[in-house]
Amino acid sequence: MPLDSKDHPLNSLGFAKPPAETRVVVAMSGGVDSSVVAAQLAEEGYDVVGVTLQLYDHGAALAKKGACCAGVDIHDARRVAEEMGFPHYVLDYENIFKDAVIDEFADSYLAGATPVPCIRCNERVKFKDLLETAKDLEADCMATGHYIQRKTGDQGPELHCAADAARDQSYFLFSTTPEQLAFLRFPLGHLPSKNETRALAQKYGLPVADKPDSQDICFVPNGNYASVIEKLRPGAAEPGDIVDVDGRVLGTHDGVIHYTIGQRRGLGIGGLADPLYVVRLDVEKRHVIVGPKELLTTRTVPVREINWLGDALITSQKEWHISVKVRSTRPPREAILRPISETEAEVELLTPEEGVSPGQACVFYETTGSRILGGGWIWRGN
């Protein structure tokens, strides 16, 4: 027998009302993860509204086969909605995506940084404009297929790593604000592995059950960043010199945009006794500076644009003993965070890291437990 709404226990999304009275907008990329979220919530009886963003012209040269938010993925998301019987909308966010994500990606590379556009997309598009659209649709919350957990703590919602460390996406979601977190839900974060997600897709008979995961950046074909930047900024790839740390010319290059900090292969300066790595990029001089591997290590990481998710103000302590990730593929390492202001800090790595690069994120974690304490952007070299 249905209970009165005032006596109704919390549903699986945390609302004290029946699922049928709970509207949830699901951000659907067309992949298996977000499709399973939408299907599961629809089966549980929620008032599901699927929304897919067209982030760039899927007929343009930038798009690639198998990328999210392009033509075939929009079609796949629509098919899932039809199968499960909930409404689905496609929103043209092409101009917003170009202004908020793609242009900064190109400009960052031209400045010698190594940007992470997936973080900016979550921060500036999906969890900003799309989230506001969900509120305009009178949704109670917005759900995504990200592998991360939202838990309720003493002072409100907290962000925690996914149960499956191999699928954890906390590095890409550190800039989620407390206000956004209050509205967001991540139904897949507790699953022990991606196998369970695919099993659910099979259970619901979804047409995307066997669809491969998308790889690399959605608007970068085959991981070739330089070719995309040359299309976006014609003439950007100006030739220059490859030099050692003492300024001696060792070779030439076709453009700084073809190189990243830590790169060893493809330098075109063979015949040297010891291997050399890209240790710095000097955009103004058009120099690619190379040196031995030990020059890649650093202990000090300057961070700005901090989004802090801890319970106390970041400036309430002179030092925070935390763990940090300076690359998405690396495990958290112990560090000391020293705040300079509420949005800027210096991070001391207890164990030196190689290849710390401007433009990458530095994400903060509890040293014990799974909570994400926020993060910021690495803004200058070693």
Side-chain angles (χ1 to χ4, degrees), residues 34 77 97 114 131 149 174 191 200:
S34 57
F97 186 67
T114 309
L131 190 144
Q149 297 187 80
F174 80 86
L191 296 181
L200 286 170

Side-chain angles (χ1 to χ4, degrees), residues 63 71 88 93 123 166 181 183 205 209 213 251 320 326 354-355 362 371 381:
H88 175 257
Y93 273 35
E123 173 188 310
L181 192 56
F183 193 72
D213 292 340
W320 294 84
V326 294
E354 294 178 359
C362 180
R371 188 175 179 185

Side-chain angles (χ1 to χ4, degrees), residues 13 42-43 54 58 62 105 122 131-132 145 152 162 200 215 225 244 250 265 272 279 300 341 344 347 356 364 376:
L13 295 178
E43 188 189 59
Q54 180 180 312
H58 48 268
L62 288 184
F105 169 83
N122 290 324
L131 190 144
E132 289 304 316
T152 301
L200 286 170
Q215 302 292 329
Y225 300 168
D244 66 15
L250 303 179
R265 298 183 183 279
L272 299 173
V279 297
T300 304
S341 69
E344 195 169 330
V347 173
V356 176
F364 312 148

Side-chain angles (χ1 to χ4, degrees), residues 301-329:
V301 183
V303 179
R304 62 184 179 184
E305 292 184 64
I306 288 173
N307 179 57
W308 180 248
L309 295 173
D311 292 338
L313 289 175
I314 188 173
T315 52
S316 65
Q317 295 183 196
K318 291 184 178 180
E319 292 186 350
W320 294 84
H321 290 259
I322 60 172
S323 295
V324 302
K325 273 189 183 186
V326 294
R327 293 265 183 169
S328 63
T329 54

Side-chain angles (χ1 to χ4, degrees), residues 149-160 181 311 371:
Q149 297 187 80
R150 174 191 182 275
K151 297 182 179 181
T152 301
D154 293 338
Q155 298 192 32
E158 299 175 352
L159 204 59
H160 287 255
L181 192 56
D311 292 338
R371 188 175 179 185

